[in-house]
Structures are given as C-alpha cells and as structure tokens.
Amino acid sequence: MTAPAGFRYFTPIVIRYGDMDTLGHVNNAKYLTYLEQSRVSYFRDQRLWDGAISDTGMILARVEIDFKAPITMDDGTATVWTRVSKLGNRSFDMEHLIVVERDKAALVAATSRTVVVVYDYTKSATTPIPEAWRSLIVAYEPLLQPR
C-alpha cells in the first residue's frame, strides 16, 4: 500500500472476529483500539516511550473520529497511518487514517485526530514536552506544523 501524502508511519492491524458487531462489521469502539495500538507503536518506535512506567508520560486528552466506510472480516487487515501534525508546548496533535484495501485500491475507512498531553504523574499536572521528545518528533515528521 502506498503511503498517503504526509504520512510515513503505519501499523498493520489484523481484523479479528472479536472486533465484529452483530451487523458483521468492526464495532465503532474497536477503531479506538486500532488508533491506540498505532499511537503506542509510534511512541515506542520513535523512542518517545520505552514501555516503562515513569514520572513523565503521555495521556490522551481528545479523540475525534470520522467514520467513512465499514470494515469487515473480509478486509483481513487494516492499516493505521499515524503522524504528529501539530506540536505545542505541553501537547501535540496526531492524525490517523484507518485504511483497508478493497478491489486492489486503498479505501479510507476512518480519519481521526487525537490530542496527546505530556503529564507529570508526581505533580498530577501537565508539563512541557521534553526537548528530547520534541527533537525526535521534529526529526521524524518533515511536514510538522507548529501550533
């Protein structure tokens, strides 16, 4: 599958029987799980988070999903394309596309925007994005727009 414009990072998601609702398509709540898997994979692969519990972490503050087409078991695999689209002081926006291949063409099943906030668990408060994280994100995301 060719990368959509502006996206480099993707996570393949195998569509499981347990993802289905009674109508035979992926339940809308599962889309959140697909986004989460891609977001966490992005964080780990870009070395923003190693999976360890620490004093500073990231929390999901907002999710918007626009459903475009149903996903079914026949699709087999969905690809979640993920990028950081805006970088603020204490938070950043991520954009996601959930894409399946049908009739040898890419079909966007959903688009999403999430807002991730950097959080200091010892202070129970938001905190600025660490410079090391900021540098890694800027180096990886060539089309990044400052907020």
Side-chain angles (χ1 to χ4, degrees):
M1 184 178 297
T2 304
F7 286 85
R8 296 175 62 189
Y9 190 84
F10 69 94
T11 305
I13 305 286
V14 175
I15 309 303
R16 302 168 305 188
Y17 174 76
D19 296 346
M20 300 296 114
D21 61 18
T22 56
L23 299 175
H25 52 67
V26 172
N27 182 280
N28 63 332
K30 292 296 181 178
Y31 286 64
L32 290 167
T33 303
Y34 296 174
L35 297 175
E36 176 184 59
Q37 183 61 50
S38 188
R39 190 172 56 253
V40 169
S41 295
Y42 180 100
F43 294 159
R44 293 183 70 129
D45 289 346
Q46 301 313 314
R47 300 184 320 274
L48 302 176
W49 182 58
D50 63 6
I53 296 173
S54 64
D55 293 343
T56 302
M58 292 172 264
I59 58 174
L60 187 62
R62 181 178 178 86
V63 178
E64 299 170 6
I65 301 176
D66 290 315
F67 299 96
K68 306 289 185 180
I71 299 172
T72 69
M73 284 289 293
D74 291 337
D75 292 316
T77 302
T79 301
V80 182
W81 293 91
T82 299
R83 69 179 175 191
V84 174
S85 57
K86 292 184 182 175
L87 194 56
N89 182 38
R90 296 173 180 265
S91 65
F92 52 93
D93 291 5
M94 299 186 85
E95 292 179 354
H96 313 270
L97 301 175
I98 301 177
V99 180
V100 295
E101 189 172 322
R102 290 207 190 131
D103 301 322
K104 299 182 183 179
L107 172 68
V108 176
T111 61
S112 176
R113 182 179 75 91
T114 57
V115 178
V116 178
V117 175
V118 180
Y119 198 77
D120 183 328
Y121 291 101
T122 61
K123 297 177 182 174
S124 296
T126 62
T127 190
I129 298 170
E131 283 307 313
W133 294 4
R134 184 179 296 279
S135 296
L136 290 167
I137 292 169
V138 168
Y140 186 74
E141 298 289 358
L143 299 177
L144 187 63
Q145 301 170 10
R147 192 178 324 184

